[in-house]
Amino acid sequence: MDMQKELLEILACPRCHGQLEALGSPLEALCCRGCAVIYPVREGIPVMLIEEALPLSTWRPTSTPA
């Protein structure tokens, strides 16, 4: 099992405790569809602070598929 899958199994949204979805490749953000927010990943570390969450509608991937 890769690190990203292991990470998603143990992390939950700090607001609603719901499941998170990985966004981007490489991992750029974690998304909570229930709250419609994303938690950014900075230097490989998820920032799981409610006050750092951004509206899902504002997220745009920075990487482009090859």
Side-chain angles (χ1 to χ4, degrees):
M1 183 178 291
D2 69 17
M3 179 67 167
Q4 186 171 320
K5 286 184 180 182
E6 288 180 22
L7 183 67
L8 287 173
E9 286 181 3
I10 61 172
L11 289 177
C13 175
R15 184 182 298 167
C16 73
H17 307 288
Q19 186 175 9
L20 296 171
E21 173 187 339
L23 298 179
S25 180
L27 181 61
E28 295 178 30
L30 297 174
C31 171
C32 176
R33 299 275 178 193
C35 294
V37 297
I38 62 138
Y39 296 95
V41 174
R42 296 185 185 128
E43 297 181 19
I45 301 169
V47 180
M48 302 297 295
L49 301 170
I50 294 171
E51 57 272 7
E52 293 287 323
L54 302 168
L56 178 58
S57 61
T58 65
W59 185 76
R60 300 289 179 263
T62 58
S63 60
T64 55

